[in-house]
Amino acid sequence: MLLVVDAGNTNIVFAVHDGASWQGTWRISTNDQRTSDEYAAWLLLLLERSQIDPKKISRAIIGTVVPAALYHLRRLCRQWLAIEPLIANAALDWGYPVHVDTPEEVGVDRRLNGLAAQHLFGGPLIVVDFGTATTFDVVDAQGAYCGGAIAPGVNLSLEALHQAAARLPRISVGRPSAAIGRSTTVAMRSGLFWGYVGLVEGIVSRIALEMGPPVKVIATGGLAPLFSEGTELFQHVAPKLTLDGLRLLAARNTSYSAIPAPG
């Protein structure tokens, strides 16, 4: 079985794939001070409760946009699972060309989304990832990654609004019942939700115009199901797209093996 670790700015997702389907997916908040032993205590308990034998995990891959977290995630795999993990980076075989000015600057999460979306849905397409940042990634009809756009994420904008305006409360993200808010909280929720729907529709429309129709639009990220309710823009909602990208990348790069368990 394959252990997949997707370390983002807000959360780290651990998942196990048995070659046919995902057997378990678990999420923990990102904290670059968390040690490998802390990860192990948490993960091994969840594996046990999901009836997954850690000894059957023979491969691992880590994708991260948080370099400080990598040391302890790699040590988790080495010390507790006796596996040398594959680290997703630009030097690996991705199976598709990258047509941008500086390929080394493209975040690994964006490349993973492009890889998975192209494999699952075929280009041309746009992936909208509702994460810490809201990213737009473009894959052309030939399967090449062509760049995209980056905007502040929903929760990041929400926190900035609360901190910059002393009288505005901190609110949760949700779809409002009406566009016209008759209280401060509902007005904020309306501005946030419909504002981001408008942002996404506007950016996707401009990208699609440059690409030339038709183009598929894919939503991913934790808030993708929520925002897909507010627009008919998306042909597919794929919350596990980044995990699938890691799984596919591991399948293309098999030249790594388990190391001896620590004594």
Side-chain angles (χ1 to χ4, degrees):
M1 289 192 289
L2 172 70
L3 173 68
V4 168
V5 184
D6 173 25
N9 289 296
T10 304
N11 292 302
I12 301 178
V13 180
F14 293 77
V16 172
H17 198 278
D18 67 356
S21 62
W22 295 106
Q23 297 301 297
T25 304
W26 311 278
R27 188 180 301 264
I28 191 171
S29 60
T30 301
N31 179 351
D32 57 19
Q33 300 301 310
R34 189 173 279 119
T35 69
S36 58
D37 295 339
E38 289 175 298
Y39 284 126
W42 174 81
L43 179 61
L44 293 176
L45 177 61
L46 290 171
L47 291 173
E48 179 183 353
R49 292 191 174 185
S50 300
Q51 298 183 329
I52 298 174
D53 184 355
K55 294 180 181 178
K56 293 184 178 180
I57 298 175
S58 58
R59 298 182 300 145
I61 182 168
I62 300 171
T64 181
V65 294
V66 186
L70 180 57
Y71 172 80
H72 288 291
L73 291 171
R74 195 199 305 256
R75 193 165 183 268
L76 162 70
C77 295
R78 289 173 169 173
Q79 183 174 16
W80 290 94
L81 298 174
I83 294 170
E84 179 63 32
L86 183 68
I87 310 301
N89 58 53
L92 297 180
D93 174 16
W94 287 79
Y96 66 84
V98 178
H99 295 164
V100 299
D101 294 338
T102 50
E104 66 277 5
E105 292 183 0
V106 179
V108 67
D109 53 338
R110 301 181 66 195
R111 294 190 63 163
L112 290 166
N113 286 343
L115 172 63
Q118 194 277 335
H119 176 83
L120 295 172
F121 308 112
L125 58 84
I126 304 166
V127 177
V128 183
D129 189 344
F130 293 91
T132 304
T134 300
T135 58
F136 302 76
D137 295 300
V138 176
V139 175
D140 67 16
Q142 289 71 46
Y145 179 86
C146 299
I150 302 174
V154 178
N155 287 310
L156 189 62
S157 296
L158 185 62
E159 187 64 24
L161 184 63
H162 167 70
Q163 291 185 1
R167 294 181 63 85
L168 293 182
R170 180 180 282 110
I171 64 169
S172 60
V173 181
R175 181 178 180 177
S177 57
I180 300 174
R182 300 190 183 278
S183 70
T184 298
T185 298
V186 178
M188 291 175 65
R189 187 168 287 120
S190 175
L192 187 76
F193 183 85
W194 295 115
Y196 264 87
V197 168
L199 179 148
V200 169
E201 289 179 337
I203 293 179
V204 166
S205 176
R206 289 180 178 274
I207 292 175
L209 189 63
E210 293 181 15
M211 295 177 68
V215 59
K216 304 182 188 76
V217 186
I218 318 300
T220 191
L223 293 174
L226 172 65
F227 280 92
S228 67
E229 296 175 2
T231 178
E232 297 180 357
L233 185 67
F234 303 113
Q235 283 77 52
H236 303 279
V237 178
K240 291 185 172 67
L241 196 65
T242 310
L243 296 179
D244 280 318
L246 283 164
R247 173 179 61 84
L248 292 166
L249 187 63
R252 294 191 64 87
N253 296 267
T254 57
S255 58
Y256 70 105
S257 59
I259 60 174

